[in-house]
Amino acid sequence: MGFKLIAIWVILALGAATARAAPVEQSPRPAKRADVVLARAVAAPGAATASHRAPRARPAQAEATVDSSSRAPGFAAWLRDFRARALAQGISGAVFDRAVQGISYDPKVIERDRNQSEFTKTIWDYLDTAASDLRVANGKKALARHDTVLDRIEAKYGVDKEVVTAIWGLESAYGTFKGSNDVVQSLATLAYDARRSAFFEEQLVAALKILEAGDVPPRAMTGSWAGAMGHTQFIPTSFLTYAVDLTGDGKRDIWGDDPTDALASTAAYLSRFGWTRGQPWGVEVRLPEGFDYASANRENTRLPSQWAQLGVLGMDGKPVADHGRASVLLPAGAEGAAFLVFDNFAVIERYNTADAYVIGVGHLADRIAGGAPIQSDWPRGDRALTFDERQEMQRLLTGKGFDTKGIDGRIGPLTIQAVRDFQRSVGQAPDGYASLAILNRLR
Ligand SMILES: [Ca+2]
């Protein structure tokens, strides 16, 4: 999908403890189970539509305005070529030239992009931050302060206001950290960089279309190093598709102090992907003795009352209410918290597919609404596997006949399934948790 939004700091790539369908593995910043990648990823699946290189053109106007860094001697030439491609997609020359005036290749952006997968966190460390007492308290204050507009948004889009507030809290700490990078400069730098240039060039063209539409002047279009913008960190393509002007001034302003348009845009986005008002994202549950861990699979959905017949109950010991069909999710395997997750879980995944992010949003929303902290313990003695260790695990699994269909260091559904199969072969509960203990067992 080309509509994914981007968080400012954090992306986690925490995969499901349960096997899941293809979207996670397809994600360019795929779910990595039991770890969280800070400084977030960018690309959305399918977003990297190839943009075909146009023949070289040399419009003189752009040339003088570009400061080409010595570290990227080709940047100015690339920008001249790109100008022709942008104009071919409907950007006017005047808007283009104003947008790129004074920009330069930004090595700090490339540094962030290259280093982002180095930082990993476990889900419990992530959740400690995502739903910290401070973030919960600030969320309650933010909700109270903007109660009127959030009520209006909830009524108009049918998205629970606590969820919108929680996304705001995770994406920008309620508007405190929206990112101050020049979006045109960041995206041009990333598009020039060879690694994911098609995706970023598409974003850059979308950013120019926003300027063309007049929602914001060029230098006020700020965001994260990867081009995620405003209170809830929309990437430009998502902005073009989903951003709304709720204030009625003719501008979709997601950057300014007033969060109204940004929060409405977020609700519009969730609404578009099928949010069900009043349905939980998930509910913490306790599992019975002898629970069949293989049934903790996103593909395996039942009504909570049916799960209750199997002994899966709320933390109060009572059946979870029948909000809709749900699957059991074990983000840290059998030793961690378990959740029944509903269709709304998949809607939050449209913002970010990482389980840690989705649980972080959902749980923060619950806490802002006055709900209890997660009650179960996490395996806090575990640490996140490094990228090399994840690759090593995949190599060892594949070598023992549990084919992970690739050694990419990403713990997606195929690797989780291989872990389950290995666990079964050695008489362990097949919870699919790709832990250090499993790696040691494989060694
Ligand atoms: Ca507006």
Side-chain angles (χ1 to χ4, degrees), residues 8 51 180 208 223 253:
I8 199 168
S51 49
S180 56
L208 295 170
D253 178 12

Side-chain angles (χ1 to χ4, degrees), residues 244-253 261:
V244 296
D245 166 31
L246 193 69
T247 65
D249 67 349
K251 294 183 194 304
R252 298 164 291 181
D253 178 12
D261 286 355

Side-chain angles (χ1 to χ4, degrees), residues 178-242:
K178 298 192 290 280
S180 56
N181 292 275
D182 185 299
V183 165
V184 171
Q185 173 164 291
S186 293
L187 290 174
T189 298
L190 289 159
Y192 166 75
D193 187 55
R195 297 198 312 156
R196 283 176 288 153
S197 59
F199 171 77
F200 286 113
E201 184 163 317
E202 184 191 14
Q203 294 304 321
L204 180 53
V205 169
L208 295 170
K209 286 180 178 169
I210 296 167
L211 296 175
E212 190 87 40
D215 290 293
V216 63
R219 300 286 84 81
M221 189 163 62
T222 52
S224 76
W225 63 268
M229 309 181 297
H231 290 269
T232 52
Q233 300 286 283
F234 272 55
I235 55 173
T237 49
S238 294
F239 179 99
L240 287 177
T241 310
Y242 300 104

